Amino acid sequence: MASTQDSPSVRDNVIGQIAQEPRPAHQSIPNFRDILSQENRTQSSSSIFVVVDGKEIPKPAKVPKESIMEMETEVEGGDSIDEMRNEFAAVVQDTKTRRGYGLYATSDLLPDHLLLSEQPALSFWMPRDVNMANMRKEIEAQWCDLLIHEQEALREEFPKLRSVPSGRRALSLFQSIMLFNFALEYSYSSPDGDFANIYSLASRINHACRGCANAVRRMDWYEPHRILITLIKPVKAGQEILIHYNTMEGSKLACAVCGSMSDRPTRCQLLRNKLEEWRLRLGGRDARASVATSAEVVEEDDFNADVPGPRLSVLDRAKRLRNKTVLRWGHLFTREGCDWLHPWQSSPWQSPPRTPYPYSPSPEIVSSSIPILRVQPPTDEGSPVRRRRKNRFRGTRT
Ligand SMILES: C[S@@+](CC[C@H](N)C(=O)[O-])C[C@H]1O[C@@H](n2cnc3c(N)ncnc32)[C@H](O)[C@@H]1O
């Protein structure tokens, strides 16, 4: 991978360009979304991140688009630092709650840390102009198009895929529906809305309200749509990583931390956030650590918004009311009755234990080797799955 340390970052360039352009008086200072959309329009470049000794160095890079495929082949196949970072930064574990599996940090990290930078393990092309039934058939066809060992690897990775057989030319209606539901549940829509991307680690992240989420997501505009998960709060080793889904699906889920059904935290959580902020301030730590400023979260999340806003059915509203009541009372109980607390909390009022920073990883973490799924074996011409799928749909896309 070419060293690009000295070159200015794409975003800096964009900011520079925006600053140089004469701006009409009525136009406000460009916000984060403007900068991102400018960046996305910079067709010939891509941002690359590199990690050295477990620390993220946002590597400013301006890479010609032609060389991106080459670099990614290198990353997919070799002992990439990027993969190492993902592997060591977070692990999938059973939350032992109704949330099922979740993603947990393996070390103590501060806000703004880029936790994951991951390529999709699988991406389904989602034609926009077809109805749900046809989309299900389309996804079924794409699944049947995969090689058996790719299907097997995915089935092993995601327990919810175990009812979907491998090596078949077609699926039964039940299997097809299971596959479709899996795709809807685990995928992040690409920024252009054309692909539903499923990631080994990022697709395991559970939902929290905006105030309680400790990370935000962003996705590369270009294929293969690498997802970037950045922390907005300090996390402790063993703490669950949570993002605000900001989708219709997310609006039906209770926040994993405070139980709020809206995108705002409960008052109790707000109070805890405030107390935590002051605790850190008094301790001379970075004050912005505790509470993500809503503005930041909104900026990043809105960029990823899949739907304009939640529109709940009567049944969903009734469920929401029921959950709200149950979860609110749950706060009165201890950890056993209150399964959304973080592992370090024995009660909702307890502050996280302090650990010195920078964190030096413990020997167990360094020596643990969590296999990373590589569904697409690297070849000289890129991934066979993607190539085959592209050929299949060539000429059919509008
Ligand atoms: C992207 S998956 C997350 C990983 C999933 N928990 C697993 O077991 O693999 C999204 C699904 O996780 C569950 N989930 C996520 N956040 C949740 C929450 N706060 N409360 C309850 N369930 C949640 C929901 O079933 C949702 O459809």
Side-chain angles (χ1 to χ4, degrees):
M1 205 184 291
S3 168
T4 46
Q5 292 252 10
D6 298 332
S7 55
S9 75
V10 176
R11 191 168 302 174
D12 286 349
N13 279 346
V14 174
I15 295 170
Q17 278 169 23
I18 293 169
Q20 278 164 23
E21 277 166 20
R23 209 172 25 244
H26 66 272
Q27 200 176 326
S28 59
I29 294 169
N31 62 19
F32 184 68
R33 191 202 299 235
D34 292 337
I35 295 167
L36 277 180
S37 57
Q38 281 267 4
E39 186 178 327
N40 291 331
R41 280 200 292 273
T42 318
Q43 292 277 333
S44 61
S45 56
S46 160
S47 302
I48 309 295
F49 294 84
V50 159
V51 169
V52 175
D53 291 337
K55 280 186 197 158
E56 176 231 328
I57 299 173
K59 197 168 185 183
K62 197 161 190 179
V63 185
K65 201 174 175 212
E66 309 78 74
S67 65
I68 293 176
M69 270 320 285
E70 221 177 280
M71 245 161 39
E72 275 160 4
T73 312
E74 205 179 292
V75 166
E76 267 182 17
D79 269 345
S80 130
I81 290 171
D82 237 312
E83 279 184 10
M84 295 277 283
R85 188 256 308 282
N86 289 340
E87 184 177 341
F88 288 120
V91 285
V92 176
Q93 273 173 23
D94 193 346
T95 61
K96 300 205 172 75
T97 67
R98 77 188 92 160
R99 296 195 296 281
Y101 287 93
L103 194 73
Y104 289 82
T106 53
S107 55
D108 297 358
L109 298 165
L110 283 182
D112 289 336
H113 185 94
L114 179 66
L115 185 81
L116 295 182
S117 163
E118 206 184 2
Q119 291 186 55
L122 179 64
S123 52
F124 289 115
W125 182 57
M126 300 278 240
R128 284 184 229 183
D129 48 349
V130 298
N131 60 28
M132 281 298 220
N134 285 344
M135 187 142 7
R136 175 175 59 72
K137 286 183 193 150
E138 197 56 68
I139 285 178
E140 179 188 331
Q142 289 178 45
W143 170 262
C144 294
D145 240 14
L146 294 173
L147 300 175
I148 293 182
H149 78 266
E150 292 166 347
Q151 293 173 337
E152 282 301 328
L154 285 162
R155 274 158 49 88
E156 195 144 310
E157 180 84 5
F158 296 100
K160 287 207 175 166
L161 269 181
R162 299 220 172 120
S163 51
V164 183
S166 56
R168 299 270 177 88
R169 284 177 149 203
L171 303 178
S172 70
L173 180 65
F174 171 75
Q175 291 160 350
S176 173
I177 290 173
M178 292 301 282
L179 177 66
F180 187 50
N181 287 346
F182 167 79
L184 292 184
E185 189 177 341
Y186 280 78
S187 64
Y188 293 101
S189 168
S190 62
D192 53 13
D194 281 353
F195 286 93
N197 297 317
I198 295 157
Y199 300 85
S200 287
L201 296 172
S203 288
R204 300 312 194 109
I205 300 177
N206 286 319
H207 163 84
C209 68
R210 282 183 202 279
C212 298
N214 51 20
V216 286
R217 71 189 151 104
R218 256 181 54 209
M219 197 184 282
D220 276 353
W221 188 266
Y222 301 111
E223 284 186 48
H225 301 303
R226 183 175 290 224
I227 199 167
L228 307 173
I229 303 289
T230 312
L231 298 182
I232 51 170
K233 290 185 185 181
V235 291
K236 303 279 161 200
Q239 191 176 334
E240 190 177 352
I241 305 297
L242 298 162
I243 57 171
H244 181 65
Y245 281 0
N246 202 16
T247 58
M248 181 72 91
E249 187 54 41
S251 69
K252 294 175 190 167
L253 298 170
C255 168
V257 182
C258 68
S260 163
M261 290 297 291
S262 77
D263 64 351
R264 299 275 151 221
T266 54
R267 280 192 202 150
C268 152
Q269 184 63 28
L270 280 175
L271 182 67
R272 282 186 53 219
N273 285 351
K274 259 286 162 268
L275 288 173
E276 175 63 9
E277 188 182 339
W278 277 103
R279 196 184 67 79
L280 289 169
R281 249 185 221 177
L282 292 174
R285 299 271 214 88
D286 184 2
R288 57 162 283 180
S290 168
V291 192
T293 59
S294 325
E296 273 172 325
V297 184
V298 172
E299 289 283 4
E300 291 233 1
D301 259 350
D302 280 355
F303 175 69
N304 290 304
D306 296 339
V307 289
R311 246 184 256 125
L312 300 182
S313 67
V314 176
L315 189 67
D316 283 332
R317 261 184 265 163
K319 273 190 203 159
R320 183 177 161 152
L321 194 67
R322 186 202 60 195
N323 283 352
K324 231 177 181 171
T325 321
V326 172
L327 289 165
R328 194 177 292 156
W329 281 99
H331 273 102
L332 298 177
F333 304 119
T334 52
R335 183 167 158 64
E336 282 71 52
C338 201
D339 57 17
W340 57 87
L341 292 177
H342 290 313
W344 43 260
Q345 285 175 304
S346 57
S347 85
W349 313 106
Q350 191 188 331
S351 299
R354 281 177 155 214
T355 35
Y357 191 87
Y359 172 84
S360 55
S362 65
E364 310 88 74
I365 291 173
V366 174
S367 61
S368 74
S369 165
I370 302 120
I372 279 276
L373 180 75
R374 281 201 204 116
V375 176
Q376 305 171 358
T379 65
D380 289 346
E381 304 131 37
S383 146
V385 180
R386 195 168 284 275
R387 199 175 54 246
R388 204 174 42 250
R389 199 174 50 239
K390 279 204 169 142
N391 289 341
R392 178 187 158 83
F393 293 113
R394 186 164 293 154
T396 61
R397 289 176 72 175
T398 49

